[in-house]
Amino acid sequence: MSKTVLKVENLTASYRKNYVLEDVNFEIAQGSLTGIVGPNGAGKSTLIKTLLRLHPPITGTVDFYGLPFKDAQRVIGYVPQRGSVDWDFPTNALDVVVMGLYGKIGWLKRPSKAHKRLAYEALQKMGMETYANRQISQLSGGQQQRVFLARALVQDADFYFMDEPLAGVDAATEKAIMAILKELKSYGKTVMVVHHDLQTVEDYFDHVLFLNRTVVKHGKTLQVFTKENITKTYGGNLRIHFAEEESHVVHPL
Amino acid sequence: MSYTGWIILTASLVGLSCSLIGVFLILRKMAMMADAISHTVLLGIVVAFLVTRELSGPHMLIGAVIAGLITALLVQWLYQLEIEQHASIGIVFTTLFALGVILISTSVGNAHLDVQHALMGEITFIPWETITLPLIGNVPEATALLAIVLIIILISIIAFYKEWKLTSFDPALAASLGIPVVLMHYLFMSLVSITTVASFDAVGAIMVVAMLITPAASAYLWTDKLSVMLVLSGIFGVISAVTGYIIAARIDTSISASMAFATGIIFLISFISSPKHGLVSKYTRPSISSLR
């Protein structure tokens, strides 16, 4: 049995007076690759933000490696939703990746050549090195997401949280990102990913966390990814949802 | 230095300080906040005057910082109570500004503080109010204050350059890396406040918004690099200040209005002819989407 690296108990959070998360409890084992799935408004992003203290919890405790978040912050990496930043910001791809190192560089210091080399290597890993000096607004959606992944890699964290890294990316990027996630897992790193595509859950994740305001079901994909749990999480809209997913498959960009 | 020299120097200092701070206002999408703070610092100045009974630099700076922070806090508070962000800003700053105006006309009412002056500024009076500094000698007080503020701004931007960049671009990542995003936000609001209050005497509350926003918005059109944007914005700010003075001297009109007008001209030129985002290049260059 591998060791527990994240323990969430009785977590509750609200957004503008509405409860978004209620009594959330789960434990994550080291080296697992977990997909967080649930309908729109189920609180998937809020869950990640609350775990990372980007959103205030109302009740509950969150333990990383047996420590409170502040003491574990150093080893936690976060990939926000691509749409959460302004891609017209005056900066280039390499610079965005270097940002992942700002915590390590520390106050009053400039990024050194060594930092830039690390960033460049991370871009190489994502197949993006030729775009290093490209202004970020001139990258496609998939390329932007790869830059975000490179930025996470350069952080060299032990536990990664990713918010919809596969949303709206091309097939090649999706493949590249999944290869990186599997690689991270092979190093014993733990990854939690907000995911929107039920069709690929079984291929991509070894654990699934069904979320709809609270944890509907959480466990090994093989055991818990059943029609019954999907219906329980998504309610009566399952059929419609699947129809939507199929349309994604029929019309790839 | 000559009378004209002092005025041009003062105007340039306003242009430079405002346009540097303005870059981050634009990138943080807080242009409206600048408008708000430029008005609420009036309340800060009035209250500082009521407490200390003098209109000196340090008191005004402290009053302005407090007023600026109160503005930012109130806006945040209203926003949390489910009032839309821009509405919150509109409610807070007009109320605090009105309070300042009422206090001026009821409790302060003297030659040094009046609403007209606060709104429009009067740069032509600046060379007369001098203080004596060691080594440098007689210097207009407003100019000395602006120089100090500019130094504070430069030190803050250079020292925390990467933190400003990250908290502007991706505050969520910044927070997850342990950078105190909220503290940086209020520090920034304080910088906006002291810049505004130092520029008050020269250009007033309304025109200071032009100096804060327009040079930076123009610079944004010319470059894809933050450091270049800062330099360009600074240059545009100084050019606007100087040309504004020249225009005003030629046609004998308000200096602050001419300076604000000059920023508008620079923006218009940038908007039409910038190689990256300008109107002309949109028609002469294949668009990015067609290249993909």
Side-chain angles (χ1 to χ4, degrees):
Chain A
M1 192 61 198
S2 49
K3 81 173 203 223
T4 301
V5 290
L6 169 62
K7 194 167 171 187
V8 179
E9 275 176 341
N10 185 29
L11 189 71
T12 303
S14 73
Y15 189 67
R16 311 199 115 205
K17 287 184 191 157
N18 300 314
Y19 281 95
V20 203
L21 295 173
E22 275 184 278
D23 193 23
V24 171
N25 297 280
F26 62 88
E27 287 183 12
I28 297 290
Q30 182 176 10
S32 62
L33 176 50
T34 308
I36 305 171
V37 297
N40 287 336
K44 302 184 294 273
S45 294
T46 310
L47 173 62
I48 288 191
K49 286 187 182 150
T50 312
L51 294 177
L52 299 180
R53 286 286 187 274
L54 300 172
H55 186 86
I58 294 170
T59 62
T61 54
V62 177
D63 264 19
F64 286 98
Y65 303 91
L67 301 164
F69 173 71
K70 269 264 168 272
D71 300 322
Q73 193 163 41
R74 228 168 20 83
V75 297
I76 297 171
Y78 173 47
V79 181
Q81 273 185 28
R82 184 159 51 86
S84 69
V85 305
D86 175 12
W87 291 93
D88 282 326
F89 197 88
T91 185
N92 62 33
L94 185 70
D95 206 32
V96 171
V97 180
V98 175
M99 288 178 189
L101 293 165
Y102 281 9
K104 288 203 180 85
I105 295 170
W107 292 93
L108 304 178
K109 290 193 201 120
R110 292 272 151 121
S112 68
K113 277 221 169 80
H115 293 125
K116 283 181 185 156
R117 200 173 321 116
L118 279 175
Y120 189 79
E121 283 164 16
L123 276 176
Q124 267 177 330
K125 218 160 180 187
M126 295 308 302
M128 284 291 292
E129 69 275 16
T130 47
Y131 299 93
N133 295 316
R134 188 71 72 88
Q135 154 69 16
I136 53 173
S137 65
Q138 292 173 23
L139 300 171
S140 72
Q143 290 167 338
Q144 290 173 347
Q145 193 66 60
R146 288 186 197 208
V147 170
F148 259 24
L149 255 288
R151 187 176 72 176
L153 289 180
V154 89
Q155 279 182 260
D156 194 25
D158 293 334
F159 199 146
Y160 283 105
F161 290 91
M162 305 188 182
D163 202 343
E164 301 249 20
L166 302 176
V169 303
D170 52 282
T173 299
E174 182 154 339
K175 224 169 145 186
I177 291 176
M178 283 321 298
I180 290 293
L181 294 193
K182 298 237 154 97
E183 193 182 324
L184 290 174
K185 179 183 151 65
S186 73
Y187 296 143
K189 299 184 187 249
T190 315
V191 187
M192 289 187 84
V193 179
V194 172
H195 192 57
H196 64 288
D197 183 1
L198 287 175
Q199 306 270 318
T200 50
V201 169
E202 284 172 291
D203 297 335
Y204 289 171
F205 304 105
D206 53 42
H207 284 71
V208 188
L209 191 144
F210 285 103
L211 189 77
N212 195 350
R213 286 165 188 255
T214 188
V215 178
V216 178
K217 193 79 192 176
H218 172 224
K220 289 212 165 85
T221 310
L222 284 174
Q223 288 153 19
V224 302
F225 195 70
T226 59
K227 233 182 168 122
E228 191 198 337
N229 284 330
I230 296 172
T231 317
K232 237 163 107 186
T233 313
Y234 286 81
N237 296 325
L238 177 66
R239 212 169 51 84
I240 298 163
H241 193 87
F242 267 118
E244 261 174 32
E245 297 300 341
E246 268 157 34
S247 74
H248 284 306
V249 179
V250 178
H251 305 291
L253 286 171
Chain B
M1 200 167 357
S2 72
Y3 176 80
T4 313
W6 281 122
I7 289 184
I8 290 181
L9 177 65
T10 310
S12 304
L13 286 171
V14 170
L16 197 52
S17 324
C18 288
S19 56
L20 289 176
I21 280 295
V23 167
F24 291 102
L25 279 168
I26 296 274
L27 293 178
R28 291 167 166 253
K29 314 215 181 308
M30 296 180 72
M32 185 73 183
M33 213 47 208
D35 198 10
I37 286 183
S38 70
H39 284 76
T40 53
V41 292
L42 178 71
L43 179 63
I45 293 172
V46 176
V47 172
F49 179 78
L50 285 176
V51 173
T52 63
R53 286 285 152 193
E54 54 183 318
L55 265 182
S56 73
H59 297 133
M60 290 194 347
L61 282 187
I62 293 166
V65 168
I66 294 171
L69 290 179
I70 288 176
T71 311
L73 282 167
L74 283 178
V75 168
Q76 191 58 35
W77 178 67
L78 280 183
Y79 179 63
Q80 272 161 10
L81 295 177
E82 298 189 29
I83 291 165
E84 197 265 328
Q85 180 111 38
H86 285 103
S88 315
I89 294 174
I91 293 163
V92 170
F93 95 79
T94 48
T95 309
L96 295 183
F97 179 66
L99 194 58
V101 171
I102 291 172
L103 279 177
I104 286 185
S105 49
T106 56
S107 328
V108 184
N110 69 15
H112 294 289
L113 257 182
D114 70 80
V115 176
Q116 174 73 15
H117 187 146
L119 286 177
M120 302 299 293
E122 202 37 272
I123 201 167
T124 45
F125 293 161
I126 280 175
W128 307 123
E129 302 248 350
T130 61
I131 50 167
T132 308
L133 293 178
L135 298 176
I136 307 167
N138 262 9
V139 177
E141 194 182 350
T143 315
L145 188 63
L146 274 162
I148 293 167
V149 166
L150 179 62
I151 291 167
I152 295 174
I153 291 170
L154 284 174
I155 291 173
S156 315
I157 291 181
I158 293 168
F160 305 127
Y161 184 72
K162 68 181 194 306
E163 284 79 13
W164 292 126
K165 184 153 83 176
L166 183 54
T167 53
S168 304
F169 174 62
D170 193 345
L173 178 82
S176 81
L177 291 177
I179 293 169
V181 176
V182 177
L183 187 70
M184 298 286 292
H185 171 73
Y186 288 111
L187 176 62
F188 182 64
M189 290 292 101
S190 306
L191 288 177
V192 175
S193 307
I194 61 169
T195 311
T196 313
V197 79
S199 313
F200 229 77
D201 255 349
V203 295
I206 296 179
M207 299 311 169
V208 76
V209 180
M211 297 309 272
L212 281 167
I213 303 301
T214 326
S218 311
Y220 196 14
L221 296 170
W222 289 96
T223 178
D224 287 334
K225 216 164 176 266
L226 177 58
S227 49
V228 178
M229 185 175 167
L230 281 162
V231 172
L232 273 182
S233 183
I235 292 171
F236 289 163
V238 173
I239 291 177
S240 311
V242 176
T243 30
Y245 178 77
I246 293 168
I247 295 171
R250 276 282 161 79
I251 60 174
D252 192 19
T253 182
S254 152
I255 296 173
S256 61
S258 304
M259 282 163 58
F261 182 66
T263 65
I265 300 280
I266 287 180
F267 180 80
L268 191 66
I269 294 170
S270 308
F271 188 69
I272 292 171
S273 58
S274 109
K276 286 189 184 288
H277 308 279
L279 271 186
V280 173
S281 72
K282 266 184 195 142
Y283 292 104
T284 56
R285 199 180 54 154
S287 73
I288 295 159
S289 54
S290 69
L291 286 174
R292 264 181 207 151

